[in-house]
């Protein structure tokens, strides 16, 4: 068995702003509530290899892993995968962006499988990722919409 999640949100902001903010890896600790640090290890063209470190969990455990991420602005997609898989047999991530009348639709798809010796199974992790993705996407939406509002020109004053 394997796990699969797909979550989406519409952000009332231009695609370029959503793209730029969500693909600025070094600023992820300010965008996501779960990440304490991002360390870029290597850049090759558009591909970035980086270490993500989370804030301690309820047991005080700090989770960290290395991932690769390759954005393709022309197709408005990002492919990523865990290089250091930890409890995952594999973790493949796909982000897609689409301009819609209300702003930008962002879709996160994750395909993964847990290792047999992992402390949780595919079903548990699917549920966990689905819950957490909704929380993180809402936080990201709010931060980007706030940034977008700051970029809009002030209304003209009536004479």
């Amino acid at each position: 068995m394997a796990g699969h999640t797909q979550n989406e949100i519409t952000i009332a902001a231009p695609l370029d702003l959503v793209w730029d903010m969500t693909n600025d890896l070094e600023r992820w600790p300010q965008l996501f509530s779960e990440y304490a640090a991002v360390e870029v290890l290597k850049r090759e063209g558009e591909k970035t290899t980086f270490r993500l470190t989370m804030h301690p969990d309820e047991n005080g455990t700090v989770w960290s892993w290395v991932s690769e991420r390759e954005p393709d602005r022309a197709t408005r997609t990002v492919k990523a995968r865990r290089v250091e898989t930890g409890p995952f047999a594999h973790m493949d991530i796909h982000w897609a962006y689409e301009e819609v009348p209300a702003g930008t639709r962002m879709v996160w798809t994750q395909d993964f499988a847990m290792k047999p010796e992992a402390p949780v199974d595919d079903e548990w992790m699917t549920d966990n990722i689905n819950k957490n993705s909704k929380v993180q996407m809402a936080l990201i939406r709010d931060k980007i919409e706030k940034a977008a509002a700051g970029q809009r020109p002030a209304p003209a004053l009536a004479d």
Side-chain angles (χ1 to χ4, degrees):
M1 188 174 161
H4 172 83
T5 66
Q6 184 167 319
N7 291 278
E8 68 178 71
I9 197 162
T10 298
I11 302 170
L15 188 138
D16 284 341
L17 180 63
V18 175
W19 178 270
D20 290 344
M21 288 184 71
T22 59
N23 285 291
D24 184 355
L25 292 176
E26 288 88 347
R27 295 193 46 83
W28 274 14
Q30 290 80 46
L31 194 61
F32 290 81
S33 66
E34 61 190 342
Y35 300 138
V38 176
E39 177 189 0
V40 173
L41 304 172
K42 179 172 53 170
R43 291 191 194 274
E44 298 176 72
E46 293 298 316
K47 186 188 297 183
T48 303
T49 303
F50 59 100
R51 175 172 295 283
L52 269 177
T53 302
M54 297 183 77
H55 293 288
D57 67 15
E58 63 278 355
N59 300 316
T61 303
V62 175
W63 298 94
S64 181
W65 64 91
V66 173
S67 290
E68 287 179 347
R69 185 173 173 84
E70 189 165 10
D72 182 345
R73 197 172 195 126
T75 63
R76 300 175 177 173
T77 61
V78 178
K79 292 181 195 170
R81 70 180 186 92
R82 283 192 181 205
V83 177
E84 288 180 4
T85 58
F88 293 92
H90 69 89
M91 168 62 88
D92 298 305
I93 303 166
H94 183 262
W95 287 18
Y97 302 78
E98 177 188 10
E99 286 183 286
V100 295
T104 302
R105 180 174 167 249
M106 183 173 65
V107 181
W108 294 351
T109 305
Q110 293 173 273
D111 290 297
F112 60 91
M114 303 308 295
K115 291 178 179 172
E117 67 274 15
V120 299
D121 62 12
D122 293 340
E123 184 179 348
W124 185 95
M125 188 56 72
T126 298
D127 184 57
N128 186 60
I129 290 172
N130 276 327
K131 286 178 185 173
N132 191 52
S133 291
K134 287 172 179 54
V135 168
Q136 295 304 315
M137 289 179 125
L139 287 170
I140 290 167
R141 176 200 59 215
D142 294 349
K143 290 175 183 178
I144 294 174
E145 287 180 354
K146 186 175 180 181
Q151 291 183 356
R152 293 191 185 123
L157 298 174
D159 290 339

